[in-house]
Every structure is written in C-alpha cells, then in structure tokens.
C-alpha cells in the first residue's frame, strides 16, 4: 500500500509499505477514506517529539471503512463506516473506566519513554512516534486499529468523509478544551489559535453557553473563518496588544476561561519570542510557551486556563506567580475522545457543529508532502489538508 512516511531527516515521502495485518483479536483493519493533517504532527517533523524512526507512517485523524476485524471485536463488522479516535484506550483499565482515555494504562506498549519523561506512562497514539507506542499512522491506504470496539465509532450517513474526519481529533479536542475549562452560561472565553482545534473550541464554547468568544491568531484567513463560521470576535496578535484588547473586550476584568490551542511551537512578537525560538532551536528548552503565558496573564482572577496545545517537555519563564496569586485553575490534557465522540457525531449530524469548512485542501495521498508544506507555511489559505487515499 501507499503511505506517507517520515524520512528521518525532517521530511516526508510517499512510499510503498506492507499492508497492515491483525496482530491482536481486538484489532480492526480500516480502509482509510480521509485523513487530515494536524498541527501536532508538525512537532514530529520539526524534531520536538522523541523516538521517531525513518519509515514511520504519520497521521492520526481519519475516517474509513472496516475491512477486517479480529475474533474478539463485537461492535464492528467489515463494511462499517467509522471514525477512529487518535488516542488508543483499552476500555478496561482504571483510567479508561473513569473516562480518562488519554491516560490509559495499557495501550502504550513502550511505556519506558513516557515513564522517564513524565513519571508515569501515557496512552498510545496512532502515528505519533515510538514514545507513544510506535503505531503506524493514518496517512495510508489502510491502518491497524487496536482496541477497535472502544476507539472506532459509526458515522452518521449524512456526514461526508471531509466532515466526519474531524470527529477523530479536532472536534473532541476543541470540545474538551471548553468542557474542562468549565465554560458556562454567560461566560466570556478567549481562544489562542485559530487552527482546527481552536475553531472547534470556539464553537464548543458557544454551545456550552458562552456569551462571547474571542479568537487570537495572526493568519487573516483563519481569523475570517473563526468569525464567519464560529461567530467569534478576532484579535490579530501581530497588530494588536492582546492583553489590552481582551481587557476592553471584557470590561477590564479579563476572560472567564482562556483556552490555549497552540502548543510547543507557539509564535509571537518581540524580543521574548526571539529568545524563546533561539533557546528551543538550541534544545535548551523543548517547548516555547508564548501563547500559554499570554493566556495566564490575560485570564481574570479566579478564572480557568484550559490547555489543549501539545507540550512535550520543559520550558522556562512559566508565570507560576501569576497563576498562583490570581487564584487560577489550570486544566490540561490530551483529548479523552471516546468520552465525547458519539455525542459530537450527533451534534455534527444535526448541524450544530460545522466541520466541512476546515478541509480547505482535499488532495490525493500522493500529494502528502505538498499538503504538509502548505499547512506548515500557511500558504493559499490552508487551514487543513485532507488526504483521500482511495480517490
């Protein structure tokens, strides 16, 4: 089969690789019909996530058709159209039974990496390095899905592949950002990042009762989409003082909930950003926290900062004093997709959550390297490239 593989030198290439096979009786083989790029994939390409190997297939956000199932799979059969959560959960461990799927105790077969980095192992993630299990990813014609009964979900007929694909990661991650932020009726919410996750966090905030939402970014096309499709006010941080703009937006108080949907390669302005970039390039820190620092400083006293952006290791200049003295609540984590996806698919089918507009650049899998270049460089208004392997 054809697959988009990491070459080992920070580049991608379409290669011919063996078809996946069932390795466990809880596995399913899915024929991929649409697979989206994701901002967190860029951390792999730029060398900020450990344990990548040449030939690794990347990608973790996809929809497809069940081609084969293991003997123990009960909820799916060949021919079923499913969306698959990017996070793998066994469904039986202490954390999974409490709906904390990204903290699964059994789905990562390489626990030593994250035990060393974080003190305890985390869940496996499709297509996201050997530190997260070494699972082949979704930018391919077929993918093996472990624990298929818990991670694959039937797709409503009215949703196209280009719409349904985002129920794999962007939609549940955005919803979780608003949910764990405790967004409630009448709140004012600020979202850093107008990518797919930030757009979905903004829309989710309104669905949970927010009165107003502001989205912060620097890419005009993305800000226009946040305004037109999510109903958000927009702030271009390259032209505006974000803190001052948010104080004006909230009558001087600051947002009730600040959602950080950017992560370890956040962009910014001024000398502190240049310092962060240089320090990260020298590997003196693994993450740069420009957006996170802004969110903590902007949040109202007693408010909540919800962190969705992927952070991999350590950073400096973390404003712990501001968080402590303002009495902030910090909530964070990889998405617990299995907790949310069935409900979100219903909302998507009912037109409460619009996702098709995120797929700005559908293209064949063979154009994968070009799609990633456009996505990273944000050229041609690219919000998300979506690969269609079967077309």
């Amino acid at each position: 089969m054809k697959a988009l593989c990491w070459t080992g030198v920070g580049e991608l290439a379409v290669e011919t690789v063996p078809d996946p096979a069932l390795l466990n009786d809880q596995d399913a083989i899915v024929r991929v019909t649409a697979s989206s790029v994701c901002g967190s994939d860029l951390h792999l390409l730029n060398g900020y996530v450990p344990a990548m190997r040449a030939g690794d297939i990347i990608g973790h956000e996809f929809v497809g058709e069940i081609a084969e199932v293991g003997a123990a799979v009960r909820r799916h059969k060949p021919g079923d159209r499913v969306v698959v959560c990017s996070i793998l959960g066994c469904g039986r461990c202490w954390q999974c039974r409490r709906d904390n799927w990204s903290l699964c105790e059994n789905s990562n077969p390489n626990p030593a990496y994250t035990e060393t980095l974080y003190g305890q192992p985390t869940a496996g993630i499709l297509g996201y390095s050997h530190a997260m299990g070494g699972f082949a990813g979704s930018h391919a014609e077929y993918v093996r899905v472990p624990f298929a009964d818990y991670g694959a979900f039937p797709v409503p007929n009215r949703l196209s592949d280009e719409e349904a694909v985002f129920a794999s990661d962007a939609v549940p991650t955005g919803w979780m950002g608003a949910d764990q932020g405790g967004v409630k009726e009448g709140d004012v919410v600020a979202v850093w990042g107008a990518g797919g996750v930030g757009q979905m966090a903004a829309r989710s905030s309104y669905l949970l009762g927010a009165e107003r939402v502001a989205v912060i970014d620097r890419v005009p096309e993305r800000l226009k989409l946040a305004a037109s499709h999510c109903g958000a006010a927009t702030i271009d941080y390259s032209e505006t003082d974000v803190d001052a703009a948010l104080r004006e937006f909230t009558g001087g108080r600051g947002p009730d909930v600040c959602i950080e949907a950017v992560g370890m390669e956040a962009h910014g302005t001024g000398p502190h950003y240049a310092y962060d970039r240089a320090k990260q390039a020298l590997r003196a820190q693994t993450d740069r926290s420009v957006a996170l620092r802004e969110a903590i400083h902007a949040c109202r006293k007693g408010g909540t900062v919800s962190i969705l952006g992927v952070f991999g290791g350590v950073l400096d200049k973390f404003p712990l004093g501001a968080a402590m003295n303002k009495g902030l609540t910090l909530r964070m984590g990889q998405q617990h997709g299995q907790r949310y996806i069935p409900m979100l698919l219903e909302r998507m089918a009912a037109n409460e959550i619009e996702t098709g507009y995120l797929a700005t650049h559908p293209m064949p899998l063979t154009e994968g390297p070009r799609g990633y270049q456009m996505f990273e460089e944000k050229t041609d208004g690219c919000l998300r490239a979506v690969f269609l392997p079967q077309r």
Side-chain angles (χ1 to χ4, degrees):
M1 69 172 184
K2 299 294 184 184
L4 188 59
C5 301
W6 190 67
T7 65
V9 291
E11 296 179 351
L12 296 171
V14 178
E15 300 179 0
T16 300
V17 301
D19 289 353
L22 298 172
L23 301 181
N24 186 287
D25 61 7
Q26 300 176 70
D27 290 350
I29 304 299
V30 174
R31 184 177 71 92
V32 179
T33 54
S35 178
S36 175
V37 304
C38 178
S40 58
D41 290 325
L42 299 179
H43 308 326
L44 301 175
L45 304 186
N46 294 332
Y48 297 120
V49 176
M52 288 292 290
R53 299 176 188 171
D56 282 350
I57 302 170
I58 70 166
H60 58 265
E61 191 164 8
F62 69 106
V63 64
E65 181 181 291
I66 299 282
E68 187 178 0
V69 296
V73 174
R74 296 288 179 263
R75 300 175 183 172
H76 303 291
K77 63 183 185 303
D80 288 352
R81 183 165 170 251
V82 296
V83 65
V84 179
C85 183
S86 58
I87 303 287
L88 299 174
C90 73
R92 300 178 179 88
C93 71
W94 191 90
Q95 294 286 359
C96 286
R97 285 186 283 110
R98 285 158 178 78
D99 251 1
N100 298 323
W101 295 87
S102 67
L103 308 179
C104 177
E105 297 167 331
N106 295 321
S107 62
N108 187 344
N110 300 329
Y113 286 105
T114 48
E115 281 182 344
T116 301
L117 284 170
Y118 309 135
Q120 294 180 329
T122 58
I125 303 177
L126 290 166
Y128 214 74
S129 89
H130 292 267
M132 303 301 175
F135 297 98
S138 63
H139 294 338
E141 294 176 297
Y142 293 87
V143 61
R144 179 177 75 93
V145 178
F147 308 110
D149 274 343
Y150 297 100
F153 303 90
V155 176
N157 290 333
R158 72 154 302 277
L159 293 177
S160 69
D161 288 343
E162 287 90 339
E163 293 170 316
V165 65
F166 299 107
S168 176
D169 193 322
V171 181
T173 301
W175 184 277
M176 179 169 152
D179 184 37
Q180 74 178 359
V183 176
K184 61 185 183 300
E185 198 73 29
D187 277 351
V188 179
V189 178
V191 179
W192 275 256
V197 171
Q199 303 261 345
M200 292 300 99
R203 178 60 185 149
S204 299
S205 294
Y206 276 125
L207 288 171
L208 288 172
E211 180 179 332
R212 288 184 297 159
V213 178
V215 173
I216 300 104
D217 205 296
R218 65 186 168 92
V219 182
E221 295 87 351
R222 296 185 174 200
L223 291 171
K224 287 178 182 177
L225 291 174
S228 61
H229 290 274
C230 302
T234 60
I235 299 171
D236 182 341
Y237 70 77
S238 68
E239 298 180 352
T240 305
D241 183 294
V242 173
D243 190 64
L246 287 174
R247 286 183 181 277
E248 182 175 352
F249 189 66
T250 59
R253 180 178 292 121
D256 301 290
V257 180
C258 291
I259 301 175
E260 198 276 3
V262 182
M264 67 170 71
E265 293 184 77
H267 288 77
T269 58
H272 65 286
Y273 171 60
Y275 173 80
D276 266 351
R277 289 210 66 163
K279 191 166 183 178
Q280 188 182 45
L282 294 169
R283 298 302 191 267
Q285 67 175 356
T286 57
D287 306 35
R288 56 182 189 256
S289 58
V290 179
L292 178 57
R293 289 197 300 265
E294 253 184 18
I296 289 172
H297 279 286
C299 193
R300 71 159 171 83
K301 292 179 288 187
T304 299
V305 176
S306 178
I307 305 170
L308 297 178
V310 173
F311 289 88
V314 295
L315 48 84
D316 69 359
K317 300 189 300 299
F318 184 81
L320 183 59
M324 185 270 173
N325 286 287
K326 291 169 65 179
L328 301 184
T329 297
L330 306 184
R331 298 286 305 278
M332 63 201 81
Q334 296 276 8
Q335 61 136 338
H336 304 307
Q338 291 86 339
R339 182 192 300 178
Y340 301 114
I341 289 173
M343 173 271 293
L344 293 171
L345 285 168
E346 291 180 6
R347 287 181 178 268
M348 291 165 64
N351 294 318
E352 292 182 18
I353 299 175
E354 180 186 5
T355 57
Y357 78 95
L358 300 177
T360 54
H361 290 73
M363 61 182 64
L365 179 64
T366 52
E367 296 186 30
R370 182 176 73 89
Y372 264 96
Q373 182 179 10
M374 294 173 63
F375 176 59
E376 181 167 23
E377 296 176 359
K378 301 175 178 62
T379 55
D380 194 34
C382 183
L383 181 62
R384 286 288 187 100
V386 175
F387 307 131
L388 309 170
Q390 309 299 330
R391 299 186 190 177

